[in-house]
Amino acid sequence: MPLTPAIEEPQIHESAQGPRVTPAASRTAQTPRPVPGPRPAAVPRPGRPGPARPAPPAPQATPGPVPAAPTAPSVSAAVPQVQLIPASAEGALDAAEEAVDLLLDTGRAPGDILVLTSGDPHPWAAHELSFGEAAYWALHDAGDDVFYADAAQVQRAAGRPVVVFAANGGTVDAIAGALPVALTRAGALLIVCGDPQQINSVLGAGV
């Protein structure tokens, strides 16, 4: 008879195991938390700064520096200033020499000056031509000193910032033909030494 209570004890342990299984089942129900799913939805906020890129259109709105204003002064600067030094045909070359000296004294580089004569050539030009045309024009191409040339050869001469034209002789037609070309060779300043009435008739009364 005392053996029966010992057999009933294991039945009590079986009932105790029952409640332990139920919480395990509840844990399996809690595991399906797919919380990582909504998290990636929040990631695109900082990760896709795509909408921030439309900001560059703002710099495109800066085509303001395109104003044609700078072009206007450049056109005016392309027109050389013309100065007239009244002189007779006999004194035009001396007046041109004085103008060159003044230019050099005020800081002009020798290579910036081209002197043209409509009559007798400048003594320097006559001297250099005695060594031949090639050596003479080589000095012109070097461009490091004042160059003296016949106004009839003005088309062969390259432009320089300052051109000094000495109307020291020659025909009226020759001077009228050389002066406009001399104006195109002058980058900033054309100085004409000669008869004011004759020069004004060629270049205009505004000179």
Side-chain angles (χ1 to χ4, degrees):
M1 297 300 290
L3 298 174
T4 53
I7 297 170
E8 293 176 357
E9 289 179 0
Q11 292 176 356
I12 296 170
H13 292 292
E14 291 176 0
S15 63
Q17 292 177 354
R20 291 180 182 174
V21 176
T22 54
S26 64
R27 290 177 185 174
T28 55
Q30 294 175 356
T31 51
R33 294 178 184 174
V35 179
R39 288 179 184 173
V43 174
R45 295 177 185 174
R48 296 179 184 175
R53 292 179 183 174
Q60 290 178 358
T62 57
V66 182
T71 56
S74 64
V75 174
S76 61
V79 180
Q81 182 182 2
V82 180
Q83 292 182 0
L84 174 60
I85 300 177
S88 62
E90 294 77 14
L93 191 55
D94 290 338
E97 283 290 344
E98 292 177 3
V100 170
D101 291 340
L102 181 60
L103 289 168
L104 295 175
D105 291 342
T106 55
R108 276 289 178 182
D112 288 349
I113 304 171
L114 170 67
V115 180
L116 301 173
T117 57
S118 63
D120 293 337
H122 189 276
W124 180 92
H127 173 72
E128 295 299 333
L129 280 169
S130 65
F131 297 102
E133 288 273 344
Y136 170 73
W137 286 105
L139 295 172
H140 164 270
D141 297 338
D144 54 4
D145 203 351
V146 181
F147 190 79
Y148 298 82
D150 191 333
Q153 297 177 311
V154 63
Q155 295 191 6
R156 183 173 178 178
R160 293 197 177 186
V162 182
V163 175
V164 181
F165 190 100
N168 62 334
T171 65
V172 175
D173 292 339
I175 295 175
L179 261 179
V181 182
L183 182 62
T184 64
R185 294 296 185 271
L189 176 63
L190 171 65
I191 300 175
V192 184
C193 306
D195 178 26
Q197 185 176 0
Q198 182 184 23
I199 303 306
N200 287 331
S201 65
V202 175
L203 295 180
V207 178

